[in-house]
Amino acid sequence: MNLKINVDKVRRFGKKMMLYGSISGIVMVSGCSSNDKMNKDKEFSYKYEKDTHKLLEVDRNLVLFGKEGKYGLGAPDGYNISDYDYDRWGLFEYNDYVYVNNTDVYVTDSNKFGAPGDSSINNSDVYEPSSHVIVDINKNFNMLLGKKDTSFALEAPSGYDIVDYDYDKTEFAEYENVTYVNNNDVVVDDVNDFGIPVNSDDISKYNDSNYEVGEHKLVVISRNINFLFGKNQMKEITAPDGYKVIDYDYDKTETVEFETITYENIVPVYVSDKNTFGVPISKFDLKKEDNIYRKGQHVLVDIDRNLELVFGENGTRELVAPDGYDVIDYDYDKNKYYEFETYVYVNNKDVYVDNVDNFGIVINKNKVLKKQK
């Protein structure tokens, strides 16, 4: 299908923009220092409206030991962090971020940060929703095969939601990192720790077996022995009744591979064991008819494997998707011989799909409507 080819072309072009010569991290384009300068720059830039400019960053660092603990994650003015993953290989660590603009921005290079139309910065200790992002990295020494097939629930402190979970295995250790974002105004004394909700609620939402929409997040890790190259494919991933896929990660060592999928309930569910899927309480209809996927029903994972014997990637580039789809997650993984880039797409419009393991076509196009007859 031509849509897949176009995405690959964009991706290859984006890779040419990566900054290979340096071990240091991101090159940022910050907001302008004065209104006059910003207005002048606007004449030579393109305006991205809120939530339309997505950037991925792979920040490579040379370190002796991997990270562990809680870290506050900051974004340039005009952007929020929507996803974070941590990967370690040899003497290098890779921090990969996905940013999205939270206001209109003016961009001179689509592979770099733009300047916000409103460059005011809030230095208050009170963080508005979606502005305080925390990652908690838990490192354990593990010289064996890593986690076996398992599933477990994810829970967040009051005032926060879970954005992402990632599992990474190296030769000697394993890393679990969970990314949180505040869903309420929070007072933060230490940016590297959770804040306190302004409107505190002492009632835990996990105190019974009934979970409202979005409250039950479940991680499922599948381990497979794989002595060969690792995955290089696009495929559909589905969820049990009452749930949707919100994240997928792929990790490959020399001997094993791990697929980590995070699910979230889309209807109220009854959960007898929080570490397994619940049973929908209310009825819903997500059946697909005549190859039509409604908005949010078609989730695709694209694992792009490349031979990489040296340092791995380091830099920023824009994230793009075909018409009718959004990129909801990106993950970078490196082992001794290969690098793996994992993209997760979901349809943001109704689409007609011939091959479930490839992109569909927006169904409001005449040629698709005729094809259905």
Side-chain angles (χ1 to χ4, degrees):
M1 179 179 271
N2 290 334
L3 286 173
K4 178 65 169 65
I5 296 173
N6 290 340
V7 171
D8 288 339
K9 286 182 179 179
V10 173
R11 187 173 302 154
R12 287 196 294 270
F13 173 77
K15 286 185 177 180
K16 292 179 182 178
M17 303 299 293
M18 302 297 283
L19 310 177
Y20 276 112
S22 169
I23 300 300
S24 62
I26 186 172
V27 177
M28 296 185 180
V29 177
S30 62
C32 301
S33 58
S34 69
N35 290 333
D36 290 342
K37 186 177 186 303
M38 186 174 69
N39 290 333
K40 182 179 179 181
D41 289 342
K42 287 179 184 178
E43 299 175 5
F44 306 98
S45 60
Y46 180 78
K47 178 181 177 181
Y48 281 75
E49 295 183 352
K50 180 182 177 182
D51 297 328
T52 62
H53 191 219
K54 285 188 176 181
L55 284 174
L56 69 87
E57 172 199 354
V58 179
D59 182 10
R60 182 188 67 223
N61 297 292
L62 180 64
V63 293
L64 294 178
F65 303 103
K67 285 185 178 179
E68 185 173 21
K70 293 188 182 74
Y71 301 88
L73 302 178
D77 192 23
Y79 291 82
N80 283 336
I81 293 174
S82 63
D83 183 58
Y84 169 88
D85 288 305
Y86 178 78
D87 182 65
R88 176 145 175 86
W89 169 77
L91 293 178
F92 292 96
E93 66 176 11
Y94 303 87
N95 298 271
D96 49 272
Y97 309 79
V98 176
Y99 302 89
V100 62
N101 60 315
N102 56 26
T103 186
D104 294 351
V105 293
Y106 293 87
V107 176
T108 57
D109 182 342
S110 64
N111 296 308
K112 296 181 181 179
F113 293 106
D118 180 7
S119 58
S120 60
I121 300 175
N122 182 13
N123 293 318
S124 170
D125 290 336
V126 177
Y127 283 69
E128 296 179 350
S130 301
S131 63
H132 189 222
V133 181
I134 288 283
V135 60
D136 189 4
I137 300 175
N138 183 24
K139 177 176 66 177
N140 295 295
F141 288 101
N142 187 332
M143 299 180 67
L144 301 177
L145 295 178
K147 284 188 179 296
K148 61 182 181 180
D149 292 357
T150 185
S151 66
F152 50 90
L154 293 176
E155 298 178 357
S158 179
Y160 288 81
D161 281 330
I162 292 168
V163 176
D164 182 62
Y165 170 90
D166 184 47
Y167 176 77
D168 179 57
K169 178 73 173 70
T170 66
E171 186 176 358
F172 300 107
E174 63 181 5
Y175 298 86
E176 292 181 278
N177 60 84
V178 186
T179 307
Y180 306 84
V181 65
N182 61 316
N183 58 24
N184 209 328
D185 291 344
V186 292
V187 178
V188 178
D189 290 330
D190 181 355
V191 295
N192 296 316
D193 206 348
F194 295 107
I196 300 174
V198 174
N199 299 315
S200 60
D201 185 358
D202 295 330
I203 301 176
S204 172
K205 61 183 178 182
Y206 307 109
N207 61 357
D208 57 30
S209 299
N210 293 330
Y211 284 68
E212 297 299 326
V213 174
E215 290 184 351
H216 191 218
K217 290 184 172 64
L218 191 72
V219 171
V220 177
I221 299 178
S222 300
R223 182 185 68 190
N224 297 294
I225 303 298
N226 188 333
F227 291 94
L228 301 178
F229 308 121
K231 293 186 182 297
N232 184 35
Q233 65 177 143
M234 176 177 277
K235 65 178 181 178
E236 180 188 22
I237 49 176
T238 59
D241 287 349
Y243 289 81
K244 67 177 180 179
V245 174
I246 61 172
D247 185 50
Y248 173 98
D249 291 304
Y250 179 74
D251 182 60
K252 176 73 171 70
T253 69
E254 278 67 44
T255 56
V256 293
E257 65 182 6
F258 300 90
E259 291 185 278
T260 304
I261 306 178
T262 306
Y263 302 88
E264 179 182 280
N265 64 313
I266 56 177
V267 298
V269 292
Y270 174 81
V271 180
S272 58
D273 179 354
K274 68 180 182 180
N275 296 318
T276 60
F277 291 104
V279 178
I281 296 173
S282 60
K283 294 182 179 180
F284 63 101
D285 184 12
L286 289 178
K287 293 182 180 179
K288 296 176 283 293
E289 298 179 357
D290 298 327
N291 296 66
I292 295 176
Y293 282 70
R294 301 302 177 187
K295 179 180 177 180
Q297 290 183 348
H298 194 214
V299 181
L300 286 170
V301 167
D302 186 12
I303 302 174
D304 187 10
R305 183 190 69 217
N306 296 289
L307 184 65
E308 175 56 63
L309 301 176
V310 196
F311 303 128
E313 297 212 8
N314 183 46
T316 64
R317 69 177 185 268
E318 184 180 12
L319 274 174
V320 295
D323 183 29
Y325 289 82
D326 279 330
V327 182
I328 61 171
D329 185 64
Y330 170 86
D331 182 50
Y332 180 81
D333 180 61
K334 174 83 171 70
N335 64 23
K336 188 175 181 180
Y337 301 107
Y338 294 96
E339 63 179 6
F340 300 87
E341 292 186 278
T342 303
Y343 301 81
V344 183
Y345 302 90
V346 65
N347 61 313
N348 56 23
K349 300 176 184 176
D350 294 351
V351 292
Y352 178 86
V353 179
D354 268 334
N355 179 1
V356 296
D357 294 323
N358 210 334
F359 295 109
I361 303 173
V362 177
I363 66 171
N364 60 7
K365 295 181 179 179
N366 291 331
K367 61 179 180 181
V368 177
L369 293 176
K370 291 179 181 178
K371 195 172 186 178
Q372 296 174 32
K373 295 180 180 180

